[in-house]
Amino acid sequence: RRAHFQHRKHSGNMAAVVAPSAILTSRVVAPKARATRTLKATTFKGAKLAQPKFAVKRAVSTKAVADSKISTDEVLKTIADKWEDTENKSAVITYVAGGAALVWLSGTVVGAINSIPILPKVMELVGLGYSSWFVYRYVLYKDSRAELVEQFDALKNKVSGEF
């Protein structure tokens, strides 16, 4: 008699455990897919549970472009020619390694700032404020746009070596 009571108690607990999972699984939808949902009834120790059955339809479309302005072979040939023309290869390797380390370090710093609760929103406000100021200062009026173009051309000439 006691074993029978425990068995009934055990099966009652199992039904209580299974019922919430049946409710949760009915809300699962496959990501980025068009799904049609139908319910299929199953039984578990005498209790009927509805489980969803998904029919997933995925569509993939590809487009091949035959005419490309930049060829991979041309780019690789240009890089190889530039590398052969380089006199101080160790300096170039050092600069590339330093640039990669700087990108990694900046990603780490941004991740650390992003994990502090209030700072991401403050940084968004700072960015929004600076962007608004930039638009007001350089983009909104015709004279200031001309000034921006002059400054950009001067910087471009300075970087390219033309004066």
Side-chain angles (χ1 to χ4, degrees), residues 102-119:
L102 190 62
V103 166
W104 173 80
L105 183 64
S106 63
T108 303
V109 168
V110 167
I113 288 173
N114 199 24
S115 66
I116 299 172
I118 193 81
L119 277 180

Side-chain angles (χ1 to χ4, degrees), residues 64-96:
V65 178
D67 295 331
S68 175
K69 293 183 179 181
I70 300 174
S71 173
T72 308
D73 295 332
E74 291 177 20
V75 171
L76 291 176
K77 185 177 183 286
T78 303
I79 291 172
D81 291 342
K82 294 288 183 182
W83 181 252
E84 291 299 322
D85 293 342
T86 303
E87 295 175 12
N88 196 356
K89 294 180 182 177
S90 61
V92 172
I93 291 172
T94 304
Y95 285 136
V96 169

Side-chain angles (χ1 to χ4, degrees), residues 35-71:
T36 57
R37 184 169 52 176
T38 59
L39 294 177
K40 178 178 81 170
T42 59
T43 58
F44 179 76
K45 294 198 179 192
K48 281 197 168 191
L49 301 174
Q51 292 181 344
K53 179 181 175 184
F54 292 98
V56 178
K57 299 175 185 176
R58 292 186 186 261
V60 177
S61 64
T62 58
K63 181 180 178 183
V65 178
D67 295 331
S68 175
K69 293 183 179 181
I70 300 174
S71 173

